[in-house]
Amino acid sequence: MRQFLPICILCLFFSSVFSQKISGDWRGEIDVQGSQIPIVFHFYKDSTGSINGTWDSPKQNAKNLPFSQIKADEDSVHLAIQMISGSYNGKFINNDSIAGIWQQGVNQIPLNFSHTILNNDRENASSMHPGGQQISINTVPGITISGTLLSKNNHQKLAIIVAGSGPTDRNGNGLGVETNDYKMLAWSLDSQNIATFRYDKRGVAKSASGNIREDSLRFDDYVTDLERIFDYIHDTLQFKDIYFIGHSEGSLVSIIASQKKKVKGFISVAGAGRPVDVILKEQMQKQHLPDSVKQQVSQIFDQLKNGKQVDDVPQLLSPLFRKSVQPYMISWLKYSPEKEIKKLSCPVLILQGSCDIQVKIEDAENLHKANKKSILEIIPSMSHTLKNAGVNCDNQQKTYTDSSMPIDKKLVKDIVGFIEKGEK
């Protein structure tokens, strides 16, 4: 699991000559399976003479994200980005370009930058749907969640779309993942007279905050955010018929919040039906890792499930088990989706794609068996990103990077039918 959270920027002192060289905006593009993901670095000299900086991923609406470390001299620059278990190492080419390697986990991708003057209007532009309204909600002291309300009036039924794991924004995008699936879902529901609220997760995009540290984040924080969002939409905006649509990890978040809030219904989309350690162990076995490293995965999980952090984590497993994310993992492991969904009394719809490579049909069946009043629908050819991957799942990888691919029509039809039917 990769957490995409703000942390403190570490600064170094540089000569004034070098400050002039590195200061300003640098733009490059990562090629991810044929899709170009722009990355922008911003460097500036602060009042103490130190070089500080931030970075953006404009397509994902992620702005002013911090580096955890900046090291540079006349010839090279090293940037550590702990929030994504990543780094960038580059060499200056004259004064107007940098050639280097972007590393995230075990993946290394060539990434070159050019010194540029940004067109802020272009960078900040985002396609707004008619009727879309930007809303900020204070969920706990120091934390503000930013999202988009798409509605015609507060007499409509409304669905809150809850994002999956990792650094996911309100549109369903994350670093290296460009789908716009949540945005497309919201627009599709709007065309069927169903209002939506979708939001940037705590610590992501416009919900980023300097008050959030990775080692202080807990699974229940996401539940709290959803509860407070429900309260605001129900009590302040006066929407009465509210549904949760939880995708992937957002399914479990929504299940727990549904136990505490009077939602009209809960929809699980690609939600896990087994504890997270079972699923992650299964996924790690498929990775190209030495057998000796794979064997340690179970040992680490056993210790975390007992509430104890692990000191000696192999370097190859650090993206998943780094020290700062272990408290979150411990808080997540205490929940079993099967046990939690059994507690729900509201109507439940469980949707699962047959081309999902992250969550199995078995998971959806487990959830359905646990809540016998639920409705289960298996959507042929749908991937984890809510797109149609083709009859033989041939377009699986494309569904993660091609934001122009429409979301699955049956997914929308099933959700609309469930919400329109309403509570019996």
Side-chain angles (χ1 to χ4, degrees), residues 79-185:
L79 307 168
I81 312 172
Q82 183 178 340
M83 65 177 70
I84 59 167
S85 297
S87 63
Y88 179 75
N89 290 287
K91 293 282 187 181
F92 286 101
I93 309 298
N94 299 320
N95 291 322
D96 58 1
S97 60
I98 304 172
I101 298 293
W102 176 277
Q103 180 164 346
Q104 188 171 351
V106 297
N107 299 314
Q108 295 186 346
I109 305 173
L111 176 58
N112 300 329
F113 286 86
S114 297
H115 220 163
T116 185
I117 298 176
L118 294 179
N119 180 337
N120 289 329
D121 291 336
R122 181 191 67 199
E123 293 294 333
N124 293 329
S126 60
S127 55
M128 279 294 294
H129 190 282
Q133 180 182 358
Q134 303 300 307
I135 290 180
S136 296
I137 302 169
N138 295 322
T139 57
V140 296
I143 300 297
T144 299
I145 299 299
S146 179
T148 300
L149 174 70
L150 185 56
S151 71
K152 299 176 177 64
N153 57 67
N154 61 4
H155 300 297
Q156 291 179 286
K157 294 181 178 181
L158 180 141
I160 300 175
I161 300 172
V162 186
S165 63
T168 310
D169 69 12
R170 72 187 73 184
N171 294 328
N173 302 324
L175 198 60
V177 178
E178 183 74 16
T179 67
N180 281 333
D181 48 2
Y182 302 160
K183 178 168 70 174
M184 290 180 180
L185 176 58

Side-chain angles (χ1 to χ4, degrees), residues 194-380:
I194 296 172
T196 58
F197 181 76
R198 65 189 194 274
Y199 59 97
D200 301 326
K201 291 174 63 175
R202 182 186 292 216
V204 176
K206 291 186 178 180
S207 296
S209 168
N211 296 324
I212 304 173
R213 288 176 42 189
E214 186 173 69
D215 59 4
S216 66
L217 185 69
R218 302 293 183 270
F219 183 85
D220 289 327
D221 292 336
Y222 293 137
V223 178
T224 298
D225 289 341
L226 181 53
E227 290 178 44
R228 298 290 84 77
I229 289 169
F230 176 93
D231 291 341
Y232 181 86
I233 291 175
H234 185 272
D235 300 340
T236 302
L237 300 185
Q238 296 291 299
F239 284 88
K240 299 306 179 186
D241 295 333
I242 300 175
Y243 295 74
F244 289 157
I245 301 176
H247 177 235
S248 191
E249 183 190 45
S251 172
L252 181 56
V253 172
S254 301
I255 288 172
I256 299 169
S258 295
Q259 297 169 9
K260 305 174 184 179
K261 298 298 173 182
K262 292 183 178 180
V263 293
K264 291 295 182 179
F266 161 62
I267 301 168
S268 173
V269 183
R274 295 167 290 164
V276 61
D277 60 311
V278 176
I279 293 176
L280 290 179
K281 286 177 189 176
E282 185 178 90
Q283 292 179 355
M284 293 302 290
Q285 290 302 313
K286 298 176 183 179
Q287 300 298 313
H288 297 294
L289 297 170
D291 290 340
S292 59
V293 173
K294 290 182 179 180
Q295 291 172 3
Q296 294 184 61
V297 173
S298 292
Q299 299 171 6
I300 293 172
F301 269 123
D302 288 343
Q303 191 164 330
L304 293 174
K305 287 175 73 173
N306 289 322
K308 299 179 181 178
Q309 294 195 44
V310 182
D311 293 324
D312 301 322
V313 175
Q315 182 63 35
L316 289 174
L317 296 179
S318 62
L320 180 63
F321 295 118
R322 60 189 179 277
K323 194 76 171 179
S324 58
V325 83
Q326 288 184 30
Y328 180 87
M329 190 71 74
I330 290 171
S331 70
W332 192 3
L333 286 167
K334 71 180 182 180
Y335 290 112
S336 167
E338 294 167 285
K339 292 180 181 179
E340 299 302 329
I341 199 170
K342 189 179 295 186
K343 301 175 184 178
L344 297 186
S345 58
C346 67
V348 175
L349 173 64
I350 299 167
L351 302 176
Q352 177 62 43
S354 66
C355 285
D356 193 326
I357 59 174
Q358 295 181 240
V359 177
K360 294 184 173 182
I361 291 177
E362 174 191 350
D363 289 287
E365 292 173 339
N366 286 350
L367 294 176
H368 180 50
K369 291 175 184 176
N371 189 309
K372 299 186 183 303
K373 293 183 179 180
S374 64
I375 300 169
L376 172 63
E377 293 286 347
I378 305 301
I379 301 178

Side-chain angles (χ1 to χ4, degrees), residues 371-410:
N371 189 309
K372 299 186 183 303
K373 293 183 179 180
S374 64
I375 300 169
L376 172 63
E377 293 286 347
I378 305 301
I379 301 178
S381 303
M382 189 177 79
S383 73
H384 192 71
T385 61
L386 317 186
K387 310 293 182 79
N388 190 301
V391 177
N392 298 314
C393 307
D394 294 333
N395 294 323
Q396 176 67 242
Q397 294 301 319
K398 186 179 179 181
T399 66
Y400 282 82
T401 57
D402 186 350
S403 61
S404 67
M405 291 182 71
I407 61 171
D408 194 283
K409 292 181 180 179
K410 179 170 170 50

